[in-house]
Amino acid sequence: MKQVKKHDIRAVVRAAAAILLTLCAVFPCRASEADKQPITVALYMLPQKAHFQEVVETKWAELHPDIPLEITFPEHPYHDPSFLSADVFAYDTDMLTYVAEKGAAMELSPEDLPVYNDLIGFVRDGIAYEGKYYAIPFAICNSCMLCDRTDLALSNARTFREAAELILEDPSGGCMAIDFFGDIAYHFMHVFYSVNGSDAVPDLYNVDDETAETLLDMALLEKAYKETAGEVPKSQKKRAEHYDTGLVRALYCYSEDSAKLMTRTDPSIRFFGYGSENDGRPFYCDAVSVNADIEDPGRRALCLELANMIAGEEVFRDYICVDGACLNVLPASETLFLSLADEYAVYRAVWDAICDGENFIERPGSYVYDITNEGKQILTDFVNTLLEEYEAVENAA
């Protein structure tokens, strides 16, 4: 048998390598092509959606100009779970239980979340389900009350009921515009959880007195607002305008709605629970997850990089600044929050209002999504019955 010399082997290897390189140039490998496929992204309902999309696309193009994004904003994520099919999707973490139980989100380790150790305490709880992490938080908000700093009685109210009863005792002093986002059933469950610490749909024949009385206060405030304004506008902007122009004494709204104010721009901001003890004030948290069905390691890494970028400081800072104005969206990062508090008065006011954050909690992750339309009608009818019974007693007096 003829002995093959080493230099002959090297020559064959070099020739084979040259052929492979040529083939790869002509027929690119499937893995790299897969990495360059568009990443689908479903983002959440945020103020200035088009601006947020532009910021995300611009930042991503700087990192990966050859990998496009296909961004959508699902109109009703609570009722249309199709957003879970996106490679990267954002949502309010009150849906986290639903998302986790569906197996829709990739499980994350703290190492996958660069911001993990800097998260405001209650936010960290909001991205976990049964001890495992599934989401990267980027914004928080909660309903809060805005009133004039000189309105000492309201400014010093400790709970929603206390503020409501101050206004209802003296309607001539002005009413409160409430941000009824969604419907009264949504607020029913928010109130029930705040008072009872339970996310179970309650037995309406055994609702505790405090929940019932709080809901009645909300209904009475809404009625007073309608009498003052002639309607209860669905537009958050219109309700903010009614406060801004002095038509109402106070505005109960989402924290970022303070950005809509033009004249009453330095209000007292009060975050409080609905119950008399002010325990367990629930906060909202917007977060982003990576689809658990992505199998290719390279693509999973890309999507995780994108998710962290969306939740990162650069995107957040560029997003909240629009035409020289600030959107007042609150970050989930404590360091970023404090940095913004040094730059913007409203962030300082909000931070001062929530600095006792140990008393805040992330909302539970199931109750809103699990209420059927029939259940919502039952809850709405319950609140209407409370109002009718109250008015009957008042009319009889």
Side-chain angles (χ1 to χ4, degrees):
M1 182 176 177
K2 184 178 179 181
Q3 187 175 0
V4 180
K5 297 181 180 180
K6 289 184 179 180
H7 65 80
D8 292 332
I9 295 175
R10 294 193 191 101
V12 171
V13 171
R14 282 197 297 269
I19 293 171
L20 285 172
L21 287 172
T22 303
L23 288 173
C24 284
V26 178
F27 305 104
C29 63
R30 291 183 180 179
S32 63
E33 282 301 309
D35 288 345
K36 293 182 181 180
Q37 290 299 310
I39 296 176
T40 56
V41 185
L43 293 178
Y44 191 59
M45 301 177 292
L46 290 166
Q48 298 281 353
K49 293 188 294 186
H51 172 60
F52 186 55
Q53 178 174 343
E54 181 183 2
V55 170
V56 169
E57 289 175 334
T58 300
K59 291 296 182 186
W60 182 250
E62 293 173 2
L63 298 171
H64 298 282
D66 56 341
I67 305 175
L69 302 180
E70 293 181 355
I71 296 178
T72 59
F73 285 87
E75 189 171 352
H76 300 291
Y78 285 106
H79 308 295
D80 179 12
S82 62
F83 75 96
L84 297 177
S85 62
D87 296 324
V88 175
F89 52 87
Y91 54 100
D92 190 317
T93 53
D94 66 5
M95 291 182 68
L96 184 70
T97 297
Y98 174 83
V99 170
E101 290 182 348
K102 280 278 189 181
M106 182 176 81
E107 184 182 334
L108 305 172
S109 68
E111 290 73 29
D112 293 325
L113 291 75
V115 75
Y116 177 80
N117 290 321
D118 191 39
L119 293 174
I120 297 171
F122 60 85
V123 176
R124 202 175 296 135
D125 297 332
I127 57 172
Y129 174 70
E130 295 186 346
K132 298 178 180 179
Y133 295 98
Y134 294 94
I136 305 171
F138 60 90
I140 60 174
C141 72
N142 191 17
S143 295
C144 61
M145 185 187 71
L146 309 181
C147 67
D148 285 348
R149 292 182 181 276
T150 55
D151 192 338
L152 298 181
L154 275 185
S155 292
N156 291 321
R158 291 187 61 256
T159 68
F160 175 86
R161 284 200 65 204
E162 193 174 318
E165 289 170 3
L166 280 169
I167 289 175
L168 292 170
E169 285 171 5
D170 182 19
S172 63
C175 61
M176 178 191 290
I178 302 180
D179 188 349
F180 277 99
F181 180 78
D183 49 43
I184 191 67
Y186 183 91
H187 282 270
F188 183 111
M189 296 307 298
H190 200 159
V191 170
F192 184 80
Y193 178 76
S194 183
V195 173
N196 298 278
S198 169
D199 61 344
V201 177
D203 175 359
L204 296 182
Y205 295 101
N206 294 294
V207 172
D208 60 281
D209 290 342
E210 189 166 15
T211 296
E213 290 166 4
T214 304
L215 289 164
L216 176 60
D217 285 345
M218 295 182 81
L220 291 171
L221 287 170
E222 184 181 31
K223 182 183 177 184
Y225 180 31
K226 185 175 183 179
E227 291 171 353
T228 300
E231 62 171 345
V232 177
K234 293 183 179 180
S235 165
Q236 292 172 314
K237 183 177 180 180
K238 191 69 176 177
R239 290 191 289 268
E241 182 181 305
H242 284 167
Y243 171 75
D244 205 27
T245 57
L247 181 66
V248 298
R249 179 178 176 184
L251 174 64
Y252 196 70
C253 61
Y254 289 122
S255 47
E256 63 264 24
D257 287 342
S258 58
K260 299 182 176 75
L261 306 181
M262 301 299 292
T263 56
R264 299 170 80 175
T265 55
D266 186 28
S268 172
I269 300 175
R270 299 289 296 141
F271 291 91
F272 37 47
Y274 294 99
S276 60
E277 299 302 320
N278 201 24
D279 290 332
R281 291 166 285 176
F283 245 73
Y284 305 72
C285 177
D286 295 332
V288 61
S289 291
V290 175
N291 197 307
D293 291 337
I294 300 173
E295 296 180 354
D296 181 76
R299 191 160 181 82
R300 285 168 71 99
L302 273 174
C303 290
L304 181 60
E305 180 185 358
L306 173 60
N308 274 302
M309 188 206 77
I310 291 172
E313 179 173 348
E314 287 189 21
V315 166
F316 194 91
R317 279 186 171 276
D318 286 356
Y319 162 56
I320 65 169
C321 297
V322 183
D323 300 327
C326 182
L327 293 179
N328 297 358
V329 177
L330 310 179
S333 158
E334 183 171 333
T335 299
L336 178 55
F337 206 131
L338 289 171
S339 176
L340 292 170
D342 290 336
E343 301 172 38
Y344 299 97
V346 67
Y347 283 97
R348 174 55 60 188
V350 171
W351 181 260
D352 289 345
I354 68 170
C355 63
D356 57 341
E358 293 303 314
N359 201 27
F360 285 98
I361 53 174
E362 170 59 24
R363 294 186 307 169
S366 62
Y367 66 78
V368 175
Y369 203 88
D370 288 343
I371 303 176
T372 63
N373 287 333
E374 181 182 2
K376 288 183 178 182
Q377 188 59 53
I378 292 171
L379 294 173
T380 301
D381 290 345
F382 175 80
V383 175
N384 289 336
T385 299
L386 288 175
L387 186 58
E388 290 169 4
E389 291 175 350
Y390 173 83
E391 290 174 341
V393 172
E394 288 292 296
N395 292 333

